Amino acid sequence: SIPIAKQLASIKGLGKSSDLEKAFATAALVYNNSADPEGKLSKAETKSLLQTQFGGFIRGQENKPKYQEIISALDEELENKIDFEDFMILLVSLTLMSDLLQEIKNVKTTK
């Protein structure tokens, strides 16, 4: 498996990209590296990917009702799969309710 940084470097359109563009490209690459040939993830794969790649944002959320709702939807035994759009909505939802978001907001932006 090729490291994400190397994959990013190989995308010519990202040459002079902003930090935000690179962040979204990274999210897309992480998703694509885990997705099946149809470009989708099973709910179990999605849950696993969130736990391994988004742990800082979901840590401490386990007792929050919204988090439990999201995870229980992923725990269903249905064969439904998650596409990239749904995955990004999950990331945004988990980010918005994360304790880490408040810490990020408190980061000093000047020296």
Side-chain angles (χ1 to χ4, degrees):
S1 139
I2 300 170
I4 294 291
K6 192 168 186 174
Q7 290 179 32
L8 278 174
S10 72
I11 302 171
K12 292 178 184 171
L14 288 178
K16 295 185 180 189
S17 295
S18 69
D19 291 340
L20 188 57
E21 289 171 319
K22 289 176 184 171
F24 273 87
T26 299
L29 285 170
V30 168
Y31 177 89
N32 286 337
N33 287 342
S34 298
D36 66 16
E38 295 174 359
K40 296 186 179 189
L41 292 173
S42 72
K43 288 183 176 184
E45 290 167 330
T46 301
K47 182 179 177 183
S48 176
L49 186 61
L50 291 172
Q51 290 171 332
T52 59
Q53 293 288 323
F54 214 60
F57 281 90
I58 61 177
R59 194 168 296 112
Q61 307 305 306
E62 296 83 5
N63 295 323
K64 293 185 178 180
K66 185 64 177 171
Y67 176 82
Q68 289 177 345
E69 180 184 325
I70 290 169
I71 294 305
S72 69
L74 293 176
D75 281 339
E76 293 173 0
E77 291 298 324
L78 301 173
E79 281 299 313
N80 293 346
K81 295 204 172 190
I82 304 289
D83 62 15
F84 181 66
E85 180 179 338
D86 291 335
F87 181 74
M88 292 302 288
I89 291 168
L90 276 173
L91 289 183
V92 170
S93 298
L94 292 168
T95 300
L96 290 173
M97 64 185 193
S98 173
D99 295 336
L100 190 55
L101 182 59
Q102 190 57 49
E103 190 176 328
I104 291 166
K105 288 179 180 180
N106 292 334
V107 169
K108 293 186 190 301
T109 56
T110 57
K111 293 181 181 180

